[in-house]
Amino acid sequence: VSVLLFVAAPYIRRYVAGERCKSTARLEGKVVIVTGANTGIGKETARELAQRGKVIIACRDIAKADAAASEIRTETGNQQVIVKKLDLADTKSIREFAEKFLAEEKELHILINNAGVMLCPYSRTADGFEMHLGVNHLGHFLLTFLLLERLKQCAPARIVNVSSLAHHGGRIRFHDLQGEKCYNRGLAYCHSKLANVLFTRELARRLQGKTSTANALHPGSVSSELVRHSFIMTWLWKIFSFFLKTPCEGAQTSIYCAVAEELDSVTGQYFSDCQPAYVSPRGRDDETAKKLWSVSCELLGIQWD
């Protein structure tokens, strides 16, 4: 058995690693924002894109972000890797980030909504939203709203939302969006990832006819810090790390959605392993997508027509 495993190991790893982004598209003169790029998939996405153009690392933890940016600058030789503070669990921070960005940067071509939380014990954001919903969905919803005009001005532009296969287990529970009546942290994560898919779908519909696109993706099961809130998951992730993607492998579909030439006019789609993937029936429900959009605007106190 051990001999068989030894022989099979490279093939297993190759299968687990999945597809790589093959595009060599350059991003000279273009500006990319990657949220949560101080670690994991986000950091590897920023590292790869920094070999092509200017990257803004948008993170809550400035010390970690500075360390990541410094490492990426040294490795790529690109000094245009810039850190800006963004706490997606606080709408004040999101507005401050957008205001500062729009004042300092005249261009924005790619927005990668990558940051996220997973399996948090019940907690609330600064604005009182349940943490998964607040960070994974509402935070990026508001950020996209605040930056959309700049993206349109710099079109062709792309919005990339990092969702998950977990969206298949999600439901948009309008009667209990904040999880006050019933809370399960695993399901809360699934619900927020479904919200990412529905947000992408409705945003793409609204952008039809424009030269800006919105797509969502599943990065794969990746060995990262995302499971840090669960001792059991952290333990399992260590034991089965051989069967998990590395952060670099997990970043490939984000990179693909950001740069692949064949996606220039593709919008409203969901990808995995650098190819279109199956979306759950709930993720294809246009009425739920429209209602979620409306409720999200209400919760954030914005008008987005």
Side-chain angles (χ1 to χ4, degrees), residues 30 58 92 101 118 174 233 238 275 280 290 294:
K30 296 196 173 183
K92 185 170 177 251
F101 174 85
M118 181 180 181
F174 290 109
M233 287 294 284
K238 280 180 181 167
Q275 55 196 1
S280 75
K290 286 172 189 169
S294 171

Side-chain angles (χ1 to χ4, degrees), residues 12-27:
I12 294 169
R13 268 308 309 157
R14 203 169 302 145
Y15 174 77
V16 169
E19 292 297 318
R20 294 191 73 84
C21 174
K22 296 178 178 71
S23 170
T24 56
R26 304 294 304 163
L27 297 174

Side-chain angles (χ1 to χ4, degrees), residues 19 85 218 244 249 287 304:
E19 292 297 318
K85 184 172 176 62
H218 167 55
L244 299 172
E249 290 160 356
E287 288 313 305
W304 191 354

Side-chain angles (χ1 to χ4, degrees), residues 123-198:
S123 53
R124 291 178 179 265
T125 68
D127 303 271
F129 306 133
E130 185 277 315
M131 192 62 71
H132 293 91
L133 179 79
V135 172
N136 297 353
H137 169 59
L138 292 172
H140 282 128
F141 187 94
L142 178 60
L143 180 66
T144 306
F145 166 74
L146 295 169
L147 299 177
L148 190 60
E149 284 311 308
R150 182 59 50 85
L151 282 158
K152 284 181 183 174
Q153 288 162 16
C154 300
R158 299 188 189 192
I159 297 155
V160 179
N161 294 324
V162 179
S163 180
S164 169
L165 184 69
H167 85 270
H168 285 272
R171 293 183 69 181
I172 304 302
R173 303 166 69 250
F174 290 109
H175 66 286
D176 189 24
L177 262 187
Q178 308 298 342
E180 292 162 312
K181 297 175 185 170
C182 175
Y183 181 76
N184 174 290
R185 55 187 181 168
L187 288 176
Y189 176 72
C190 296
H191 301 334
S192 71
K193 294 289 104 180
L194 174 60
N196 293 155
V197 171
L198 291 168

Side-chain angles (χ1 to χ4, degrees), residues 6-247:
F6 179 77
V7 172
Y11 301 98
I12 294 169
R13 268 308 309 157
R14 203 169 302 145
Y15 174 77
V16 169
E19 292 297 318
R20 294 191 73 84
C21 174
K22 296 178 178 71
S23 170
T24 56
R26 304 294 304 163
L27 297 174
E28 275 94 359
K30 296 196 173 183
V31 179
V32 183
I33 291 175
V34 186
T35 69
N38 62 329
T39 186
I41 298 167
K43 182 179 174 183
E44 296 308 319
T45 302
R47 190 195 306 275
E48 169 64 31
L49 295 179
Q51 293 173 19
R52 305 170 188 245
K54 182 172 181 175
V55 177
I56 310 289
I57 288 180
C59 293
R60 179 175 53 88
D61 190 324
I62 290 294
K64 278 188 179 177
D66 279 334
S70 176
E71 182 188 312
I72 292 168
R73 283 187 216 110
T74 303
E75 188 180 310
T76 62
N78 181 4
Q79 297 309 302
Q80 294 285 71
V81 180
I82 296 159
V83 171
K84 293 186 188 289
K85 184 172 176 62
L86 170 66
D87 184 354
L88 287 157
D90 184 349
T91 58
K92 185 170 177 251
S93 172
I94 298 167
R95 289 181 180 279
E96 283 172 0
F97 168 87
E99 194 179 323
K100 214 169 178 184
F101 174 85
L102 294 171
E104 293 171 1
E105 303 284 343
K106 299 305 168 205
E107 308 263 313
L108 177 59
H109 303 86
I110 302 167
L111 171 61
I112 302 181
N113 291 321
N114 163 84
V117 294
M118 181 180 181
L119 302 174
C120 302
Y122 190 83
S123 53
R124 291 178 179 265
T125 68
D127 303 271
F129 306 133
E130 185 277 315
M131 192 62 71
H132 293 91
L133 179 79
V135 172
N136 297 353
H137 169 59
L138 292 172
H140 282 128
F141 187 94
L142 178 60
L143 180 66
T144 306
F145 166 74
L146 295 169
L147 299 177
L148 190 60
E149 284 311 308
R150 182 59 50 85
L151 282 158
K152 284 181 183 174
Q153 288 162 16
C154 300
R158 299 188 189 192
I159 297 155
V160 179
N161 294 324
V162 179
S163 180
S164 169
L165 184 69
H167 85 270
H168 285 272
R171 293 183 69 181
I172 304 302
R173 303 166 69 250
F174 290 109
H175 66 286
D176 189 24
L177 262 187
Q178 308 298 342
E180 292 162 312
K181 297 175 185 170
C182 175
Y183 181 76
N184 174 290
R185 55 187 181 168
L187 288 176
Y189 176 72
C190 296
H191 301 334
S192 71
K193 294 289 104 180
L194 174 60
N196 293 155
V197 171
L198 291 168
F199 167 45
T200 303
R201 189 176 183 86
E202 180 62 9
L203 178 59
R205 188 187 70 80
R206 288 164 178 258
L207 289 173
Q208 278 295 351
K210 311 282 194 303
T211 47
S212 300
T213 63
N215 290 298
L217 67 101
H218 167 55
S221 297
V222 180
S223 179
S224 73
E225 291 178 16
L226 197 58
V227 295
R228 65 187 176 276
H229 292 292
S230 168
F231 171 77
I232 293 169
M233 287 294 284
T234 303
W235 182 69
L236 287 171
W237 248 228
K238 280 180 181 167
I239 291 175
F240 295 107
S241 60
F242 184 78
F243 300 98
L244 299 172
K245 288 186 178 185
T246 64

